[in-house]
Amino acid sequence: NDNDLPRLIHAVPGGATSWFGLATHIRNMLLQQDSDANIAEIQAIHSSEFPQTATRPANSVMSNSLLQSLLGKTVAGWEAWHDKLHGR
């Protein structure tokens, strides 16, 4: 019955990361392509150190457990999706 299905399903890759984690992943990918590249170090900061108009949620990780349950499959992690999109 279609009425039994949820109306909202998060279709997101598996795993979780932060903006720092994403930036670090990209930096490492670039260094693997050119180990002599002059790429700045990346430092994690707390969101309170970067003032924003909107209040940030304490935890904004979207779960894909319902999607995986409905598909009967696991969904690849975000790193795999990112690397595939960028030809790695």
Side-chain angles (χ1 to χ4, degrees), residues 10-80:
H10 293 297
V12 295
T17 194
S18 61
W19 286 112
F20 171 74
L22 177 62
T24 299
H25 181 79
I26 293 168
R27 182 181 187 280
N28 292 341
M29 188 175 79
L30 293 170
L31 287 172
Q32 285 177 353
Q33 292 173 357
D34 181 2
S35 60
D36 295 326
N38 185 15
I39 302 174
E41 291 291 324
I42 300 170
Q43 292 183 333
I45 63 167
H46 192 273
S47 60
S48 64
E49 297 177 67
F50 191 74
Q52 300 173 41
T53 317
T55 303
R56 294 185 50 88
N59 181 357
S60 58
V61 175
M62 294 185 356
S63 171
N64 65 8
S65 58
L66 179 59
L67 173 67
Q68 292 185 81
S69 174
L70 291 171
L71 293 176
K73 299 179 181 182
T74 58
V75 178
W78 68 268
E79 298 96 330

